[in-house]
Amino acid sequence: MSLWHFIVRKRVFFGFVFAVCFLVFSEPTVTTVLAGIPLGVLGLSVRAWSSGLIRKNKSLATDGPYAMTRNPLYVGSFIAGLGGAVMGGNIWLALTFIVFYLAVYRQIILNEEAYLITLFPSELPTYMAAVPRFMPNVFRFSGFGEYDASLMLKKHKEWQAWLGFAVIAAVLLAKALGYWSIPH
């Protein structure tokens, strides 16, 4: 297995490593923290909406956010990550996040597409031709879909992402206000 495939497979672990480095090397101000929070909330909301519609391996999600982008969970994560990057106030950390996120998740999306074509061989090609892979086409919005909050909360545990974002925002705000000094 190549180093790149190892990184892709262990992306959650490396995400935690990046989060620790991010907290250590961030340079937040009250302004950057307050500016990043709405982006984070937007991204987490897109994730929560998306995860309440997806029935993994059972049906192809094509409504709600899935009508605008084939990967709304990843789009939501990216927007939330941008919110965190803005809160951190360090352009180099922000650029590192963007480059690695797009590189890692491009590979993950390609892997998922290869898997999904085996599950939905008749539906997926038409869907892929009509809906963009990543950048949402908001003109394709066709409604909110049949949302199931228990999928979002219990099965997909989106509350964990909200909790993680709240903790990072609190730590960065404490650091910005001088209450918490993280040595580096």
Side-chain angles (χ1 to χ4, degrees):
M1 172 187 315
S2 72
L3 177 61
W4 180 247
H5 285 100
F6 177 76
I7 290 170
V8 169
R9 288 189 64 216
K10 300 295 183 183
R11 67 188 179 275
V12 173
F13 169 76
F14 286 109
F16 282 113
V17 170
F18 181 79
V20 169
C21 292
F22 173 78
L23 290 173
V24 170
F25 294 107
S26 64
E27 300 165 354
T29 65
V30 172
T31 302
T32 63
V33 173
L34 295 178
I37 288 174
L39 268 176
V41 169
L42 173 63
L44 293 172
S45 297
V46 169
R47 282 193 55 82
W49 179 22
S50 304
S51 68
L53 295 171
I54 192 169
R55 279 107 178 127
K56 291 184 180 178
N57 301 327
K58 293 186 168 99
S59 63
L60 183 62
T62 59
D63 57 354
Y66 293 93
M68 296 179 281
T69 174
R70 298 193 310 256
N71 295 283
L73 284 164
Y74 299 148
V75 171
S77 294
F78 183 71
I79 295 168
L82 285 178
V86 169
M87 288 191 306
N90 182 317
I91 190 69
W92 298 111
L93 289 174
L95 292 173
T96 301
F97 162 75
I98 291 168
V99 167
F100 278 98
Y101 188 93
L102 294 176
V104 167
Y105 279 88
R106 179 184 181 280
Q107 186 60 53
I108 290 166
I109 289 168
L110 293 174
N111 293 348
E112 286 182 359
E113 287 175 354
Y115 173 71
L116 289 173
I117 196 72
T118 66
L119 291 178
F120 309 107
S122 59
E123 299 169 75
L124 192 64
T126 304
Y127 176 66
M128 289 174 71
V131 179
R133 179 178 278 149
F134 192 77
M135 289 301 294
N137 179 350
V138 296
F139 298 109
R140 289 191 44 81
F141 178 77
S142 61
F144 290 96
E146 293 186 33
Y147 189 77
D148 183 346
S150 68
L151 280 174
M152 184 267 297
L153 290 170
K154 294 177 184 173
K155 183 170 183 181
H156 303 302
K157 299 178 179 154
E158 285 299 314
W159 61 270
Q160 293 175 344
W162 286 87
L163 179 61
F165 187 81
V167 167
I168 287 171
V171 169
L172 291 174
L173 186 58
K175 192 173 177 183
L177 293 171
Y179 294 120
W180 192 353
S181 175
I182 301 174
H184 59 285

